[in-house]
Amino acid sequence: MNSADKIYHLAIPGVQQLIPYKPGKPIEELEREFGLTRVIKLASNENPLGPGKKALAAIQSILKDMALYPDGSGFGLKHALAVKYAVESDQITLGNGSNEILELAARAFLTPGLEVIFSQHAFAVYPIVTQAVGATAVVVTAVKYGHDLEAMLESVTEKTRIVFIANPNNPTGTLLSQTALESFISALPESCVCVLDEAYFEFVSSAEPIDSIDWLKTYPNLIITRTFSKAYGLAGLRVGYGLSSPQIADILNRVRQPFNNNALALAAAEAALTDSEHLQQTIATNARGMEQLTDGFKNLGLEWIPSAGNFVLVDLKRLAQPVYEALLRKGVIVRPVANYGLPNHLRISIGTHEENRLFLKALTDSLQDV
Ligand SMILES: *Cc1c(COP(=O)(O)O)cnc(C)c1O
């Protein structure tokens, strides 16, 4: 082994074997590779309407203050979230994206020898943060692409310290009922922290109201994570948050960097919370787009997994990679999900009406090409 390779052995065991998260392909990269000028990205569940006007105005108004450190306590944003969700500010942990909350939880609660439970086909960040701290991942087989809560509960041992649940789940879009979820959480031992990842909860139909915040009163071991990256259209700024008991928030805040949220992110997120018009428009665009895409799949004779999020998994009934590549050549970026154990599916983020139309056309052509 040469000395460059030996350096890898200095990393802790989990990191030596770690395969980093693979993000959706950036638009500029595809434009460079294929010399394309019009590229559509429906790959990272971003808001196709962009950020709202209020968030943009808030950013503009504080640009002049960029020489100053941000408010490390995030007072304004926490206060606005506390009012919105009727919790106390000391129950909130702000993160550089909700991804950071997942990572803070892993760093604060895990050590080698402890176990973490999550579902097959669940969000790719759970195995990464688990492995990075040397804890043991216990992956529970999915049922109908969704979480098997009974089997997850049966997998709990005295070594289990975290259970990750994404609801709705990414990439499958599956949604657990609130009743099933609450009885799962109530059956967990208090020694096991439940991280309920609600990155897409704003898109869940009001026919299935989400009442997880009420559960915080009863379960001190519950962390709910949410984000400004999806429905609020601020993915580029990196801002998300955890809601929990004050004790868990205190623990998470101990391992958090003092200035983990930049000043633009704090200001934009706080303003975005007041922009219900943009949020409603986003939700309506998503609902119409979901119908447009699934109608298109139906016309093509394709099946899909019903999704509660702002994306949908379509089943091509054959290897998806060649179709993914054919779509790239036509300037459309979607997301292959073979790394989630779903080699025949593609995940499509819901776009604007025009983006969805162009995608469906490109898909129709690509299915004939390959
Ligand atoms: C997008 C996503 C997140 C969070 O993303 P951030 O941009 O870090 O807030 C978290 N969980 C799931 C399941 C997601 O899909």
Side-chain angles (χ1 to χ4, degrees), residues 8 12 45 51 58 63 107 110 142 147 149 168 186 210 220 229 237 240 280 282 295 312 349 352 354 361 366-368:
Y8 284 102
I12 60 172
N45 303 343
L63 281 173
R107 278 170 49 211
L110 300 176
H147 293 61
L149 292 179
S186 73
I210 301 279
S229 297
L237 285 175
Q280 289 317 316
T282 298
D295 282 350
V312 59
S349 304
T352 60
E354 179 65 359
K361 177 164 187 329
S366 299
L367 288 170
Q368 281 161 6

Side-chain angles (χ1 to χ4, degrees), residues 5-150:
D5 283 346
K6 276 196 195 130
I7 297 288
Y8 284 102
H9 290 266
L10 302 179
I12 60 172
V15 175
Q16 284 181 30
Q17 306 298 325
L18 200 68
I19 302 169
Y21 182 82
K22 198 162 180 285
K25 198 178 187 67
I27 289 176
E28 295 74 17
E29 189 179 307
L30 187 63
E31 288 177 344
R32 275 197 306 275
E33 279 176 14
F34 291 96
L36 296 165
T37 48
R38 168 137 207 212
V39 168
I40 299 168
K41 185 182 176 206
L42 300 175
S44 300
N45 303 343
E46 294 145 334
N47 188 328
L49 304 181
K53 281 196 213 76
K54 291 192 179 182
L56 289 174
I59 290 171
Q60 279 295 342
S61 74
I62 60 152
L63 281 173
K64 62 184 186 320
D65 300 328
M66 284 306 107
L68 306 176
Y69 277 101
D71 172 8
S73 74
F75 178 87
L77 177 56
K78 277 193 192 171
H79 179 73
L81 287 166
V83 170
K84 181 172 169 74
Y85 293 124
V87 297
E88 300 295 327
S89 285
D90 68 0
Q91 294 181 264
I92 302 173
T93 310
L94 299 180
N96 194 260
S98 58
N99 261 305
E100 190 186 20
I101 307 294
L102 307 175
E103 198 188 332
L104 294 178
R107 278 170 49 211
F109 291 103
L110 300 176
T111 196
L114 292 176
E115 294 172 1
V116 178
I117 296 176
F118 49 85
S119 176
Q120 179 191 21
H121 313 313
F123 189 39
V125 167
Y126 311 152
I128 293 174
V129 298
T130 301
Q131 192 181 331
V133 295
T136 303
V138 177
V139 185
V140 175
T141 306
V143 266
K144 294 192 202 146
Y145 302 104
H147 293 61
D148 183 345
L149 292 179
E150 271 174 42

Side-chain angles (χ1 to χ4, degrees), residues 21 44-45 95-100 102 122-126 166-171 197-200 225-230 234-235 238-241 311 340 347:
Y21 182 82
S44 300
N45 303 343
N96 194 260
S98 58
N99 261 305
E100 190 186 20
L102 307 175
F123 189 39
V125 167
Y126 311 152
N167 197 49
N169 184 43
N170 173 19
D197 181 341
E198 294 184 335
Y200 300 97
T225 63
R226 295 183 177 181
T227 182
F228 287 91
S229 297
K230 308 289 163 54
L234 299 175
R238 315 303 304 123
V239 49
Y241 52 98
F311 54 88
Y340 285 95
R347 192 191 68 194

Side-chain angles (χ1 to χ4, degrees), residues 25 30 36 38-43 323-335 348 355-356 358-363 366:
K25 198 178 187 67
L30 187 63
L36 296 165
R38 168 137 207 212
V39 168
I40 299 168
K41 185 182 176 206
L42 300 175
V323 180
Y324 165 70
E325 287 167 12
L327 285 166
L328 285 182
R329 290 192 291 272
K330 298 181 203 313
V332 180
I333 311 173
V334 297
R335 190 64 156 267
I348 323 299
E355 288 170 331
N356 298 333
L358 291 168
F359 157 72
L360 284 170
K361 177 164 187 329
L363 178 65
S366 299

